[in-house]
Amino acid sequence: MYNTPESASSKQPTLTLREAFAQTEYILPGHSDRNIHVLQQAFADIDGDLSSDQYGRGQVIEDFQKQMADVLGKESAVFFPTGTMAQQIALRIWCDRQNSPKVAYHPLCHLEIHEEDGLKELHHIQSILLADQDRLITLADVQQMDQDIACLLLELPQREIGGQLPPYSELQAISEYCRKQGISIHLDGARLFEILPFYQKTAAEVCALFDSVYISFYKGIGGIAGAILAGPSDFTAESKVWKRRHGGDLISLYPYILSSKYYYEQRVGNMEQYYQEAVQLAQWMNKCTAIHTLPEVPVSNMFHIHFELPKEQIEPILIEMCQATGVGIVQYLTDKKEGAHCSTELVIGARYEHVPQDRIQKALAWLDQRLKEVTTV
């Protein structure tokens, strides 16, 4: 049974939003809890006598690198423990080859806002920020740069603005322009596989527009950790040297490699399903009072939910929702526009198909009614 909005509203929340979310019967986003079961499941059928990799060599790592190079349509690939390391190294190589310390990317690029200026402090590379932070980079932005750069980085999808994507024709035009200008072009493809259903392209077709590409195995794939950096053979050979310099050449990386391979093969074929489920959920959410999604129609399995009320008003309601309906949609909120409203990110994964559709719709109906009460006061 569901509590009515009236009875639920009379209760004072005793849990944080994250705690209330975790205790629900049904959780909508993600694949699973990030606990030891993720590793145990991946290793359940692995032969215990399988030899591990050692310092980047061995069948375990070499076979997986070859597999990913083929998937991405590149000559070679290198497995890295982190994407942060892989991308800084990629940009360093392109800058050294172009004899220029400048790269261009979006103002909300991961390297700019989440890495403590690692690119600048460790490699002395300057970032040129293209476009306004609330929109995508366009061909015109690239053409109108008033500084020469060694490399352009594009993130697909652009996570911090809801996972938006440019038209594929725009990508093609940017790639062609960069190559004519002698500018290297790198793909932050942390969520590459998630965008393929929208573009109706293979990973290799998208990656053909770029000189190098990084993909993640813990984001949409749901592994433990790990990344691939792919490109020409001489590029990846140089990246291995930098990997050693960064301390990323661990004696063995097989726990990350084997789990990455396991979850990649388990989930990469489900990206179309996750995408369609995100589109349906966003449609339902956009019918709720004081809520809109960005994008309005998702272009991958990711979108942002914007609440047109301050965090301090929305958070207690969402805690009530978890307790009243048993459905967890949101586990955190971020203030926007000086606290005038708030938002969160939602990524559809393996969990979603196990949630009864009527439970989702009833939970959203509860939320809509509760928000109507608040906004009409």
Side-chain angles (χ1 to χ4, degrees), residues 3 8-9 11-24 307 311-333 366-367 370-371:
N3 295 328
S9 64
K11 297 179 180 179
Q12 293 299 316
T14 58
L15 300 174
T16 66
L17 177 54
R18 193 173 294 274
E19 289 169 341
F21 173 89
Q23 292 179 18
T24 55
F307 298 91
K311 177 179 176 180
E312 62 265 24
Q313 282 188 270
I314 292 294
E315 195 163 77
I317 293 172
L318 293 174
I319 293 172
E320 292 173 17
M321 177 186 171
C322 290
Q323 297 172 322
T325 71
V327 175
I329 296 178
V330 173
Q331 64 177 320
Y332 74 91
L333 293 169
W366 186 100
L367 179 60
R370 190 71 179 85
L371 291 173

Side-chain angles (χ1 to χ4, degrees), residues 20-72:
F21 173 89
Q23 292 179 18
T24 55
E25 180 182 2
Y26 293 108
I27 292 176
L28 269 59
H31 295 299
S32 66
D33 292 333
R34 291 191 63 81
N35 53 30
I36 300 302
H37 289 301
V38 176
L39 181 61
Q40 291 175 326
Q41 185 177 349
F43 272 65
D45 297 323
I46 298 293
D47 182 357
D49 292 325
L50 178 68
S51 297
S52 70
D53 60 298
Q54 292 192 32
Y55 294 119
R57 295 195 174 102
Q59 184 178 350
V60 165
I61 191 168
E62 291 169 7
D63 285 356
F64 190 57
Q65 289 174 163
K66 176 64 165 59
Q67 178 185 357
M68 288 297 103
D70 290 344
V71 167
L72 302 173

Side-chain angles (χ1 to χ4, degrees), residues 2-10 320 324 365-367 369-370 373:
Y2 295 89
N3 295 328
T4 64
E6 291 77 14
S7 63
S9 64
S10 65
E320 292 173 17
W366 186 100
L367 179 60
Q369 178 60 34
R370 190 71 179 85
E373 293 173 4

Side-chain angles (χ1 to χ4, degrees), residues 103-109 112 120 127-131:
V103 299
Y105 47 59
H106 192 273
L108 299 180
C109 172
E112 189 69 15
K120 302 165 188 176
S127 60
I128 309 301
L129 306 183
L130 296 185

Side-chain angles (χ1 to χ4, degrees), residues 251-286:
I251 183 172
S252 295
L253 287 165
Y254 68 89
Y256 308 113
I257 297 166
L258 293 174
S259 61
S260 294
K261 179 179 173 64
Y262 175 83
Y263 288 108
Y264 167 78
E265 292 177 350
Q266 184 180 81
R267 290 170 178 155
V268 72
N270 297 332
M271 293 301 171
E272 174 73 36
Q273 174 188 327
Y274 302 154
Y275 164 53
Q276 295 297 339
E277 288 168 343
V279 170
Q280 177 64 80
L281 181 58
Q283 182 181 15
W284 289 340
M285 298 209 74
N286 281 307

Side-chain angles (χ1 to χ4, degrees), residues 148-358:
D148 293 332
I149 62 169
C151 183
L152 170 68
L153 179 150
L154 294 181
E155 180 185 353
L156 303 178
Q158 195 73 52
R159 179 200 179 184
E160 298 292 339
I161 54 173
Q164 296 184 55
L165 286 172
Y168 196 73
S169 58
E170 185 86 357
L171 280 183
Q172 291 174 309
I174 291 173
S175 175
E176 182 180 356
Y177 176 81
C178 286
R179 285 172 171 167
K180 285 181 179 178
Q181 298 299 314
I183 299 170
S184 299
I185 183 166
H186 171 77
L187 171 60
D188 178 341
R191 298 165 178 82
L192 171 64
F193 301 110
E194 293 93 302
I195 68 171
L196 301 180
F198 177 77
Y199 278 146
Q200 290 295 293
K201 302 290 182 182
T202 65
E205 287 173 324
V206 175
C207 292
L209 303 177
F210 297 85
D211 298 303
S212 59
V213 56
Y214 139 71
I215 58 173
S216 169
F217 291 106
Y218 81 84
K219 294 186 171 72
I221 296 299
I224 299 169
I228 279 283
L229 180 64
S233 295
D234 61 340
F235 169 87
T236 55
E238 193 170 350
S239 78
K240 290 180 181 181
V241 176
W242 279 107
K243 180 183 174 186
R244 173 64 64 92
R245 290 168 176 163
H246 270 251
D249 204 11
L250 281 62
I251 183 172
S252 295
L253 287 165
Y254 68 89
Y256 308 113
I257 297 166
L258 293 174
S259 61
S260 294
K261 179 179 173 64
Y262 175 83
Y263 288 108
Y264 167 78
E265 292 177 350
Q266 184 180 81
R267 290 170 178 155
V268 72
N270 297 332
M271 293 301 171
E272 174 73 36
Q273 174 188 327
Y274 302 154
Y275 164 53
Q276 295 297 339
E277 288 168 343
V279 170
Q280 177 64 80
L281 181 58
Q283 182 181 15
W284 289 340
M285 298 209 74
N286 281 307
K287 293 178 180 178
C288 291
T289 301
I291 291 178
H292 71 272
T293 68
L294 183 69
E296 180 179 357
V297 180
V299 291
S300 72
N301 63 329
M302 167 202 289
F303 59 88
H304 286 191
I305 306 168
H306 287 257
F307 298 91
E308 296 161 16
L309 290 167
K311 177 179 176 180
E312 62 265 24
Q313 282 188 270
I314 292 294
E315 195 163 77
I317 293 172
L318 293 174
I319 293 172
E320 292 173 17
M321 177 186 171
C322 290
Q323 297 172 322
T325 71
V327 175
I329 296 178
V330 173
Q331 64 177 320
Y332 74 91
L333 293 169
T334 301
D335 279 319
K336 296 289 183 181
K337 294 186 177 179
E338 299 180 349
H341 71 275
C342 57
S343 70
T344 191
E345 179 180 281
L346 193 148
V347 181
I348 295 298
R351 279 172 161 159
Y352 188 85
E353 67 176 323
H354 301 293
V355 184
Q357 299 289 288
D358 66 320

